Amino acid sequence: MLEYGIGNGRIALPIARDGARVTGVDRSTPMLTDLRARLAEEPASVRSRVKVRRGDMRTVAIDTRFPLVICPFNTALHLYTRHDVEAWLARVRDHIAPRGELVLDVNMPIIEDLADPPGTEYALPPFVHPTRGRVRYREIFDYDRVRQIQFCSMCFSPMRKDGRGTKDDELVTPLAHRVFFPQELEALLHYNGFETTQIHGDFEGGPLRQDSDVMVFHARPRRSR
Ligand SMILES: C[S@@+](CC[C@H](N)C(=O)[O-])C[C@H]1O[C@@H](n2cnc3c(N)ncnc32)[C@H](O)[C@@H]1O
C-alpha cells in the first residue's frame, strides 16, 4: 500500500509488522528522521517492508501502482487550495491500481467551533512534552472563513516547581488545517476522477452522523469520466 503523510510511522509500522508492504511519502525531514530511528529498532523483516520517499504529495512520482492508497489522520487538510487538491488527486490517479481503493480520514467540521471569535483559547490538561518536560498546554484558534483554513497556535509552557506555567520560554507551534465540508470533499473526489463508495463517521465502519467528529472516505477511480 501507499501512505501519503507517513510521518513517523505511527500507522505504517504496525501495518508492516502485520506483514504488509508500505511505501510512505512525507515532506517533513524531522518526521522521516524519527521514522528511520524507529525502523532501526525493528526486525529486518519489518524494515524490508517499509519504503520511504521524502517529497511533496502533490508532486512525488513512484514507479508503482498500489491496490490501496491511504491518507490518514488529517494529512489531506494540508491541501489548502483547489489546485493543491487537484495536484494530489492527479498523483493518486497515477499511483492507484485500476480497481484500487483510496481511503482518507479528516476532521468533520464543527460549525460551533468555527464560529468562535478570532483568538479563542482552549486550555488542555498539562502533560509531559518530549523536549520541554511537564508543560501547560493551550491552543489558540483563528478561522479564516474565506479560505476555509483553521489556524491554530499550539502553546507549550514549561511548568515551574509551583505548578504554574511560564510564558518566558513558551514554545509555540503553528498548525493550519483546511476545513472541508462533507459534500465538498465528495464533489472534489468526483470531479477529480473518483467515485466515493463509503463515508464513515468513525473507524469501526459506523455511518457519518450529525455529531461525528471524523469523516472516513473510501473512493475508487471512476470508470467513465
Ligand atoms: C497529521 S500528520 C499524520 C502522520 C501519520 N500518518 C500519523 O497518522 O501519525 C500529517 C503528515 O503529513 C505530512 N504532510 C503535510 N503536507 C504534506 C505534503 N504536501 N506532502 C507530503 N507530506 C505532507 C506532514 O509532514 C505530516 O507528517
Side-chain angles (χ1 to χ4, degrees):
M1 58 177 258
L2 172 62
E3 179 180 358
Y4 282 106
I6 189 171
N8 68 0
R10 185 180 66 95
I11 292 172
L13 285 180
I15 292 174
R17 284 184 204 120
D18 242 30
R21 292 185 180 280
V22 186
T23 297
V25 172
D26 206 292
R27 68 176 171 189
S28 161
T29 303
M31 282 295 212
L32 295 183
T33 302
D34 195 20
L35 169 59
R36 290 197 175 98
R38 297 177 75 188
L39 270 174
E41 309 272 296
E42 296 288 333
S45 56
V46 174
R47 287 204 302 275
S48 71
R49 289 197 282 270
V50 179
K51 280 193 192 158
V52 180
R53 276 290 300 274
R54 196 178 80 77
D56 194 303
M57 61 202 279
R58 294 166 297 180
T59 52
V60 163
I62 300 164
D63 193 16
T64 313
R65 285 188 181 267
F66 299 84
L68 177 62
V69 178
I70 66 170
C71 186
F73 193 40
N74 290 331
T75 296
L77 300 188
H78 294 267
L79 301 165
Y80 300 108
T81 66
R82 174 169 59 79
H83 299 287
D84 292 337
V85 176
E86 286 172 354
W88 173 57
L89 287 176
R91 297 293 75 70
V92 177
R93 289 199 307 274
D94 291 343
H95 295 113
I96 198 166
R99 293 304 294 154
E101 187 170 41
L102 166 66
V103 184
L104 65 98
D105 68 88
V106 291
N107 290 339
M108 171 86 157
I110 299 173
I111 300 289
E112 297 80 356
D113 290 352
L114 300 179
D116 279 342
T120 298
E121 275 191 41
Y122 289 97
L124 289 111
F127 67 95
V128 178
H129 185 275
T131 59
R132 299 287 163 129
R134 194 160 174 76
V135 291
R136 288 203 179 280
Y137 178 55
R138 64 201 170 101
E139 294 178 341
I140 305 172
F141 290 96
D142 190 351
Y143 180 52
D144 182 326
R145 297 173 185 215
V146 175
R147 289 187 289 165
Q148 290 183 210
I149 298 176
Q150 178 71 287
F151 293 95
C152 173
S153 300
M154 300 185 294
C155 307
F156 308 89
S157 309
M159 277 172 81
R160 298 189 306 210
K161 285 210 176 85
D162 62 8
R164 296 170 63 153
T166 161
K167 287 194 181 161
D168 296 345
D169 49 358
E170 187 173 59
L171 173 70
V172 180
T173 305
L175 176 69
H177 271 168
R178 171 65 198 266
V179 171
F180 290 115
F181 290 89
Q183 297 306 314
E184 178 185 18
L185 199 45
E186 191 278 335
L188 282 166
L189 286 163
H190 177 86
Y191 289 111
N192 284 282
F194 291 87
E195 171 196 3
T196 297
T197 52
Q198 302 167 60
I199 309 176
H200 296 298
D202 57 39
F203 297 103
E204 281 76 48
L208 184 65
R209 299 152 56 118
Q210 303 296 324
D211 60 351
S212 299
D213 52 19
V214 68
M215 307 189 279
V216 186
F217 274 74
H218 293 242
R220 291 190 185 281
R222 224 151 30 93
R223 282 195 172 167
S224 57
R225 294 186 55 205

